[in-house]
Amino acid sequence: MNLSFFDQFTSPSFLGIPLILLSMLFPALLLPSPNNRWVTNRLSTLQSWCVSLITKQLMTPMNKKGHKWALILTSLMILLLLINLLGLLPYTFTPTTQLSMNMALAFPLWLATLLTGLRNQPTISLGHLLPEGTPTPLIPALILIETTSLLIRPLALGVRLTANLTAGHLLIQLISTATSVLLPIMPTISILTAMILLLLTILEVAVAMIQAYVFVLLLSLYLQENI
């Protein structure tokens, strides 16, 4: 059976049942639930420090109204971070390479920030569609452009995350295939290619962490505009 490079992005299935839900829930199993026995545990301490750091970075620019979103945004950040990193392991599946999942995360949260702004400060939220001092002839065109840029935000969030992770996975697979093919023919070139593969893997780990942070950071910026 011939496999293409894009087969790694198809959701695995067992007895005809897609396992993408299991791939999404598995990272949560790696986080220990804190109790009296875990108070002095190093893993639990590291987990608490990471959660506190992420929450502080996201909530510092916001006022007290935005602090209600701390649990949602921090949980989303940890979920995306673990899924992206676990997807780099061999024989694993990365759910965030699916545009449908990323859009399912981006669209409801973006819509919630928009509705929050329209409910709490409708005048200011609608005022973002028309900057102050705009010439009268440009008002209809500018309103149309600003509305389009507002509606395209969730699509940009989902496509950015999908494209970066998909491109990285494809590059890793292409270079690893080249390394295995060149090994019996040109061992020296194969070793050089393996070194490039190692550097690319390190870069992809950084990309996985950065893209999770950027996804949640942009959501927090959208929320900050509407509160």
Side-chain angles (χ1 to χ4, degrees):
M1 180 178 180
N2 294 326
L3 299 177
S4 66
F5 289 126
F6 292 93
D7 287 333
Q8 61 175 318
F9 303 115
T10 58
S11 175
S13 59
F14 180 72
L15 297 178
I17 302 175
L19 300 181
I20 185 172
L21 184 60
L22 182 61
S23 301
M24 293 174 57
L25 294 178
F26 180 72
L29 301 177
L30 301 177
L31 299 176
S33 56
N35 51 41
N36 293 332
R37 294 184 179 181
W38 288 94
V39 171
T40 58
N41 183 267
R42 294 180 180 178
L43 180 60
S44 181
T45 303
L46 180 62
Q47 173 190 339
S48 301
W49 178 79
C50 290
V51 172
S52 300
L53 180 63
I54 292 171
T55 306
K56 182 179 179 181
Q57 291 292 329
L58 293 176
M59 295 295 112
T60 298
M62 296 187 187
N63 54 23
K64 291 185 178 180
K65 293 182 180 179
H67 293 174
K68 299 177 182 178
W69 290 66
L71 180 60
I72 297 177
L73 295 180
T74 304
S75 301
L76 179 62
M77 172 74 180
I78 295 173
L79 175 67
L80 292 177
L81 183 61
L82 291 178
I83 287 178
N84 292 349
L85 292 178
L86 288 175
L88 293 174
L89 297 176
Y91 305 105
T92 55
F93 171 70
T94 313
T96 44
T97 55
Q98 305 293 317
L99 182 60
S100 56
M101 175 186 168
N102 296 333
M103 290 300 298
L105 292 174
F107 184 77
L109 292 173
W110 165 82
L111 185 61
T113 61
L114 183 61
L115 294 179
T116 300
L118 292 177
R119 183 187 65 179
N120 296 335
Q121 46 182 18
T123 304
I124 299 177
S125 297
L126 294 177
H128 290 157
L129 301 179
L130 185 62
E132 186 178 357
T134 304
T136 304
L138 296 179
I139 289 179
L142 194 58
I143 291 178
L144 182 61
I145 294 172
E146 291 294 331
T147 304
T148 304
S149 65
L150 178 65
L151 297 178
I152 209 172
R153 282 180 174 180
L155 181 62
L157 281 175
V159 170
R160 180 187 293 108
L161 182 59
T162 304
N164 282 280
L165 294 180
T166 303
H169 283 64
L170 283 175
L171 279 176
I172 288 177
Q173 185 165 357
L174 285 170
I175 296 179
S176 60
T177 303
T179 303
S180 60
V181 170
L182 292 175
L183 183 58
I185 306 173
M186 293 179 288
T188 305
I189 303 298
S190 179
I191 293 174
L192 294 177
T193 310
M195 294 176 62
I196 296 175
L197 178 62
L198 178 61
L199 296 176
L200 181 61
T201 304
I202 297 174
L203 176 63
E204 192 61 23
V205 171
V207 169
M209 299 173 65
I210 291 172
Q211 288 304 315
Y213 177 70
V214 168
F215 188 92
V216 181
L217 179 63
L218 289 177
L219 282 175
S220 66
L221 292 178
Y222 299 157
L223 177 63
Q224 187 177 352
E225 288 182 0
N226 291 283
I227 57 174

